Amino acid sequence: MAFVLVAPHNLGLWDKYPIVQLEALQLGWIIALFLLICMVGVALWHSRHQKDALRRTLQVVAFLMIAVALTEFVLFTRAGGAMPAHLATVPAEEKDITVLSFNAFNSDADEIVEVAEATEANVLLLVEVEPKVAVQVAELWRMQGTSNQLFADSDTHDVDTDGTAIITSDQLGRYRQVPGPALTLGSVSVAPVGESAIRIGDSSFTPPRLSVVHPPPPVPDKYSSTTWRWQLDLAVQTCRPEEGTIVGGDFNASTAQVSLLADQSCLDAGKYLGRGAVGTWPRSVPAPLGAGIDHQIVDTRHWEPVGIRFVDIGESDHRALAVSYRDVDT
């Protein structure tokens, strides 16, 4: 049981119910391990008059489980999992662009634009956003002085879920929509028009290819674990190393699950910055108790994550991610 709790991916169980749903709740796994340790301790107490062989076995098991639990807790803490969201910020000293990704369910356009301005975002990657809200965001952002382009998905996604959208600041030059992964809950992919470098401040660089993705959650009554893994794989593989891609959205998967499917050079930005365990959902609970299912993954051969913020916006049950990047070739 302890080995299943610690490393489900090593046992081939990471995409099986109920492990697939619980794997993102890292603190829950650690608490479960400590509860198992307590149970072994009780068994040791009751076996104090039993044969020495039984007690030695229980002692070895207890020692191994304590070592594993402490190791997991240290890793969880080092990945920012024990931090409240507002303390998990990694400030960016030097940056070229900032990408704000957000599950915009139940959020208003002015609230999104306010955070876009506060984080100095150049790109907005939105999921579960009503089409009219996406248009309002683009218009309000333009009224704030940021001319932009809006790209929305088609009506191929689940009709019960709002769509996805990308809004790019004209600071990054012109973009065009390109084919993206066929995800049940929607996706959008865009690429720069031409390969000319653009200049922002003192930096000159080729703008990144961008994708927003929303694979479905592993809910047994609606999406099988096979469907979930297939859709997650499609979303993660959108990060193409040769194209300098940045992919963001609600992945409905943990950092570990995303990393297992990603190309070697495509890394989770939160993990890269030591914040891979910060909970982003549900926002109604403290971040250490939540699940880190909202991510940005990036081709680190072209773009290096240099800063991250976790932000509350409107009434959404997700926290937004504002990640700053530096062009590696600059």
Side-chain angles (χ1 to χ4, degrees):
M1 180 65 177
F3 291 111
V4 172
L5 291 175
V6 174
H9 49 282
N10 288 339
L11 300 176
L13 300 174
W14 69 277
D15 59 348
K16 303 294 188 294
Y17 294 125
I19 305 298
V20 64
Q21 296 162 310
L22 300 176
E23 208 270 336
L25 300 170
Q26 291 180 262
L27 185 59
W29 287 119
I30 294 169
I31 292 172
L33 274 171
F34 277 109
L35 289 175
L36 285 173
I37 291 168
C38 292
M39 293 171 62
V40 173
V42 171
L44 273 171
W45 171 259
H46 286 291
S47 66
R48 63 189 183 278
H49 300 305
Q50 301 295 322
K51 294 180 180 179
D52 289 343
L54 176 60
R55 285 185 59 77
R56 281 197 297 270
T57 301
L58 288 173
Q59 288 169 350
V60 170
V61 170
F63 174 80
L64 291 175
M65 291 178 65
I66 290 171
V68 167
L70 290 176
T71 300
E72 287 296 303
F73 183 75
V74 169
L75 293 174
F76 175 72
T77 303
R78 290 179 61 185
M83 291 182 173
H86 67 280
L87 296 179
T89 297
V90 177
E93 296 183 2
E94 296 182 7
K95 65 174 184 175
D96 290 321
I97 62 171
T98 296
V99 177
L100 178 68
S101 57
F102 178 48
N103 183 314
F105 176 74
N106 208 24
S107 296
D108 295 331
D110 58 335
E111 297 166 330
I112 298 171
V113 172
E114 181 181 354
V115 173
E117 289 289 301
T119 57
E120 300 179 341
N122 306 98
V123 176
L124 308 183
L125 305 178
L126 305 176
V127 305
E128 286 202 56
V129 61
E130 296 181 40
K132 65 178 182 180
V133 172
V135 171
Q136 290 170 356
V137 170
E139 291 176 347
L140 287 174
W141 207 18
R142 195 173 296 116
M143 292 173 60
Q144 294 288 339
T146 302
S147 55
N148 59 74
Q149 289 179 273
L150 167 64
F151 303 91
D153 64 355
S154 64
D155 295 327
T156 57
H157 62 269
D158 189 327
V159 294
D160 294 329
T161 304
D162 291 321
T164 53
I166 295 178
I167 306 177
T168 60
S169 165
D170 285 350
Q171 281 185 309
L172 297 180
R174 304 301 290 174
Y175 274 82
R176 60 186 175 86
Q177 193 158 347
V178 296
L183 300 181
T184 305
L185 302 184
S187 75
V188 181
S189 293
V190 299
V193 175
E195 298 182 358
S196 300
I198 56 101
R199 177 173 290 276
I200 297 180
D202 295 329
S203 299
S204 178
F205 52 86
T206 301
R209 181 181 176 124
L210 302 161
S211 291
V212 60
V213 296
H214 193 193
V219 179
D221 294 339
K222 194 167 185 180
Y223 305 108
S224 69
S225 60
T226 301
T227 297
W228 169 82
R229 177 169 177 167
W230 163 58
Q231 291 269 294
L232 178 62
D233 190 38
L234 286 177
V236 172
Q237 294 307 317
T238 307
C239 181
R240 298 184 177 93
E242 69 276 6
E243 296 175 343
T245 310
I246 298 174
V247 183
D250 176 1
F251 284 74
N252 280 306
S254 71
T255 299
Q257 290 166 335
V258 169
S259 298
L260 281 169
L261 296 174
D263 184 272
Q264 188 174 4
S265 65
C266 286
L267 301 180
D268 181 278
K271 182 179 180 180
Y272 185 91
L273 293 166
R275 296 294 185 266
V278 176
T280 60
W281 175 88
R283 201 185 89 183
S284 57
V285 304
L289 297 175
I293 60 174
D294 299 271
H295 307 278
Q296 290 185 27
I297 56 176
V298 58
D299 172 15
T300 53
R301 295 191 302 184
H302 292 81
W303 295 97
E304 178 189 8
V306 292
I308 190 169
R309 286 178 61 184
F310 299 85
V311 190
D312 294 347
I313 303 178
E315 299 299 320
S316 174
D317 56 349
H318 289 251
R319 294 183 176 92
L321 274 68
V323 183
S324 296
Y325 299 93
R326 182 184 67 84
D327 177 56
V328 173
D329 298 325
T330 299

